Amino acid sequence: MSAVEERKVTINNLRDRRDSPRGERMADWVDSRLGLYTIAKANMRKIFPDHWSFMLGEVCLWSFVVLILTGIYLTFFFHPSMNEVAYHGSYAPLNGITMSEAFASTLDISFDVRGGLLIRQMHHWAALIMVAGMLIHMMRHFFTGSFRKPREVNWMFGWTMLVLGMFEGFVGYSLPDDLLSGTGLRFVEGAILSVPIVGTYLAMFFFGGEFPGTEIVPRLYSVHILLLPALIAALIVVHMILLVYHKHTQWPGPGRTNRNVVGMPFLPVYLAKTSGFFFLVASVIAAMSAIASINPVWTYGPYRPDQVSTNAQPDWYMGFSEGLIRVMPGWEINAAGHTLNLGVLIPLIVFPTVLLAIGLYPFFESWITGDKREHHLLDRPRNRPVRTGLGVAWLSVYFLLLVGGGNDLFATRFHLSINSVTWFIRIALFVGPVVAFLITKRICLGLQNRDKRKVLHGRETGTIRRLPHGEYIEVHQDLSPAERHTLTAHEQYQPLDPGATEDANGIPRKPSRRDQLRTRLSRAYFGPSAQVAKLTREELRHNEEETTHSIEH
């Protein structure tokens, strides 16, 4: 094509663009500079599988959006200051009482700002739902094994968001400076002071002087509205990018493999569903906030260091740490003129250790199995009895410590001795997880045996039939090919082979302690006592032949 012809084509293209609608011209301008159309074209038709358990992550996401929207509204009226003022507002019982500006502004939001109480309660309920959603969402990933390669890093991002969400919630309900939140901050001060050598300096730095000081609320406010939300938002973006990059996991079934995804496209089907789900989550939070009161700070009153609320209970997600402190014996060690408060220091060490163990578990299981392949199909929890048992054991520890964190409430409500409740929790912390693990493991093995019988003999119908020679049998209905595939498609790991006991020269080879530990753990995870052997092709073929033979006769 000559230069003249190229010029004519260019002029015609420019005329066509001038004749096109303004919106189309603007879209072309943006796409030519940012390339958004190319990115959208590659990802808007991304396939997502459909299952009710996948909505747990959306509950977390949309609860976070509600938190951001309600939090922006509250920032217009909240005063993060500990300067003392005399309250004169709509809540008559506290009129004339000296309190901090933070607490006074919280009362104003609750009673004098239009819709303020509803927004406050929506903010608090959304925080509880978000953390609960993250915990259940992570447990779903744990029980189904979706944390395996290539999603270990994404698991760590989700775990980090859970930890940040817990501390974000704690910081948030510490801001009103009421008696409940002040008691919680006193609890934190005691934990910090228990740190050897540097505890006093850390507490002075954190509170800006002697407790409670005048700096803690402004500092927590900056962390609450800027630092932690920005970190969580950034992690959500990275989490979603990795979700799209790795593709979504899916439950095993006909036509589903590690190389494909069976589901619906993001645009328009999944986008419409998730948009509607946002309004559903927001509506439920709004309904809960309108019906159920939460954190009524006016009944607690302003914080005073000489008062302690008897029913001082943290939000449920921090009850784990509260329970650790309450059930721990008050042990102390006095040496060289210093006191080491083990009753607070040990729980302070156990709490992050347990959280860290949860975050690093994917790498621990990968080390046991030695499996370096990519996994995009989920495990049915019953097919991994040991992992499922460990998860239930951890949950039992959490709920026991949650009860321990409210030992005074259980004692007063059920007319029990608080010492009896505390000692029950202390003993149950060692016995309960073991019992929960064993029971869960047996249930999983029983369900595996039931699935095996279903594949061999079909589903029980409850219909009893009498044979010509007088024998009564129950009629079984054969499973469909899809059901048989779902029950038999899972993969079973085998225990690691410890290797030869002698080298090539006949010299005894002693494995290292690390290899011995790995072999024992592998045997505990995947040995004969930890899983029911899958049906082989020969067993299935033999069963089909027997069934055919019995039908013919």
Side-chain angles (χ1 to χ4, degrees):
M1 182 182 296
S2 64
V4 176
E5 292 175 342
E6 289 181 357
R7 182 178 177 83
K8 290 182 179 180
V9 171
T10 303
I11 293 173
N12 291 331
N13 290 336
L14 291 174
R15 289 174 179 173
D16 293 339
R17 290 180 182 179
R18 283 197 299 267
D19 296 336
S20 61
R22 180 178 299 178
E24 184 177 339
R25 294 201 306 270
M26 183 177 297
D28 290 339
W29 186 90
V30 173
D31 180 63
S32 63
R33 287 153 180 82
L34 301 179
L36 297 179
Y37 176 76
T38 304
I39 299 175
K41 184 178 180 181
N43 294 285
M44 287 297 102
R45 300 295 293 177
K46 193 79 173 180
I47 300 298
F48 285 86
D50 192 18
H51 192 267
W52 67 266
S53 63
F54 299 155
M55 75 176 182
L56 296 171
E58 296 183 48
V59 171
C60 307
L61 175 62
W62 299 134
S63 298
F64 181 72
V65 173
V66 173
L67 277 170
I68 295 298
L69 296 177
T70 55
I72 292 173
Y73 182 86
L74 294 176
T75 56
F76 295 135
F77 307 101
F78 181 73
H79 299 282
S81 172
M82 298 189 73
N83 295 330
E84 291 188 347
V85 296
Y87 175 72
H88 297 285
S90 299
Y91 189 67
L94 291 179
N95 267 332
I97 301 296
T98 301
M99 59 186 67
S100 66
E101 286 189 40
F103 187 71
S105 63
T106 304
L107 292 178
D108 290 337
I109 291 173
S110 303
F111 296 106
D112 298 309
V113 175
R114 186 180 297 273
L117 181 58
L118 177 64
I119 298 299
R120 255 199 71 227
Q121 299 207 142
M122 285 185 65
H123 193 71
H124 204 133
W125 275 118
L128 296 181
I129 292 174
M130 177 184 171
V131 180
M134 286 194 291
L135 178 63
I136 300 174
H137 184 56
M138 285 200 69
M139 295 312 296
R140 197 274 294 178
H141 283 286
F142 179 85
F143 287 125
T144 59
S146 64
F147 53 77
R148 294 172 295 176
K149 184 182 178 180
R151 297 177 179 83
E152 303 97 332
V153 176
N154 221 9
W155 166 272
M156 292 296 297
F157 286 147
W159 172 82
T160 306
M161 281 190 283
L162 175 62
V163 175
L164 292 177
M166 293 170 58
F167 286 100
E168 171 76 339
F170 174 79
V171 170
Y173 74 70
S174 299
L175 291 178
D177 196 33
D178 60 291
L179 186 58
L180 177 62
S181 64
T183 304
L185 287 174
R186 174 68 86 176
F187 174 89
V188 171
E189 187 214 17
I192 296 175
L193 288 174
S194 69
V195 178
I197 303 175
V198 298
T200 305
Y201 302 100
L202 290 176
M204 293 287 287
F205 172 78
F206 184 71
F207 290 98
E210 293 289 342
F211 180 86
T214 59
E215 301 294 331
I216 185 62
V217 168
R219 290 179 178 182
L220 293 181
Y221 183 71
S222 300
V223 171
H224 183 69
I225 70 169
L226 294 176
L227 178 61
L228 293 180
L231 291 175
I232 294 174
L235 287 172
I236 288 176
V237 172
V238 177
H239 191 73
M240 299 300 295
I241 291 174
L242 288 179
L243 172 66
V244 174
Y245 176 71
H246 292 144
K247 71 184 180 182
H248 204 294
T249 54
Q250 58 185 344
W251 289 97
R256 299 174 182 177
T257 68
N258 280 315
R259 298 181 178 86
N260 68 354
V261 179
V262 178
M264 298 174 294
F266 178 77
L267 190 71
V269 180
Y270 197 79
L271 180 61
K273 292 179 65 175
T274 192
S275 301
F277 194 62
F278 162 69
F279 292 105
L280 180 61
V281 171
S283 301
V284 170
I285 292 175
M288 293 174 63
S289 305
I291 295 172
S293 177
I294 188 172
N295 197 24
V297 295
W298 53 89
T299 63
Y300 308 139
Y303 177 69
R304 287 179 52 183
D306 60 334
Q307 294 182 352
V308 175
S309 175
T310 304
N311 295 333
Q313 304 294 326
D315 283 338
W316 67 268
Y317 47 84
M318 298 302 290
F320 180 78
S321 58
E322 177 89 6
L324 280 171
I325 295 290
R326 293 198 182 193
V327 303
M328 182 68 191
W331 295 340
E332 291 183 353
I333 296 178
N334 296 308
H338 296 277
T339 300
L340 192 62
N341 192 343
L342 298 180
V344 179
L345 181 60
I346 291 179
L348 190 63
I349 296 174
V350 171
F351 179 63
T353 301
V354 173
L355 292 178
L356 186 62
I358 296 172
L360 297 179
Y361 181 83
F363 305 97
F364 172 73
E365 184 172 308
S366 176
W367 174 68
I368 293 176
T369 60
D371 188 3
K372 304 302 180 183
R373 299 168 299 165
E374 289 192 1
H375 294 273
H376 303 288
L377 290 178
L378 299 173
D379 288 331
R380 300 176 75 202
R382 66 184 63 182
N383 294 329
R384 296 288 183 262
V386 175
R387 181 206 294 155
T388 305
L390 289 175
V392 174
W394 180 85
L395 289 175
S396 70
V397 172
Y398 185 88
F399 287 116
L400 284 172
L401 288 174
L402 195 61
V403 174
N407 55 359
D408 54 341
L409 294 181
F410 280 90
T412 55
R413 295 296 188 274
F414 296 101
H415 306 288
L416 301 171
S417 168
I418 191 171
N419 291 327
S420 300
V421 175
T422 302
W423 272 104
F424 170 78
I425 299 299
R426 288 174 178 173
I427 297 172
L429 281 176
F430 293 94
V431 179
V434 177
V435 174
F437 173 81
L438 294 176
I439 292 177
T440 304
K441 182 180 175 182
R442 293 306 307 170
I443 291 175
C444 291
L445 293 174
L447 292 174
Q448 286 188 43
N449 277 313
R450 189 182 72 171
D451 290 345
K452 191 172 184 177
R453 290 193 299 270
K454 274 186 179 181
V455 174
L456 288 174
H457 308 295
R459 182 184 295 105
E460 298 175 353
T461 62
T463 302
I464 306 300
R465 178 177 296 176
R466 183 181 180 184
L467 299 180
H469 57 276
E471 179 185 0
Y472 289 91
I473 62 170
E474 182 180 9
V475 178
H476 286 70
Q477 180 183 2
D478 291 337
L479 300 180
S480 65
E483 292 174 319
R484 290 167 63 92
H485 174 82
T486 302
L487 296 181
T488 58
H490 62 279
E491 180 184 6
Q492 283 191 330
Y493 290 104
Q494 297 301 318
L496 294 178
D497 186 2
T501 57
E502 297 180 350
D503 60 14
N505 299 322
I507 300 175
R509 185 186 67 86
K510 184 179 180 181
S512 64
R513 292 184 178 180
R514 181 176 180 273
D515 292 338
Q516 291 178 358
L517 175 62
R518 185 182 178 192
T519 302
R520 291 174 182 173
L521 289 173
S522 175
R523 192 178 299 116
Y525 263 70
F526 310 113
S529 62
Q531 57 186 356
V532 176
K534 283 178 58 176
L535 291 169
T536 62
R537 293 181 180 272
E538 291 73 18
E539 289 174 327
L540 288 172
R541 189 180 299 109
H542 180 69
N543 179 72
E544 292 175 356
E545 292 175 354
E546 285 188 347
T547 303
T548 304
H549 181 73
S550 61
I551 292 175
E552 291 176 351
H553 288 276

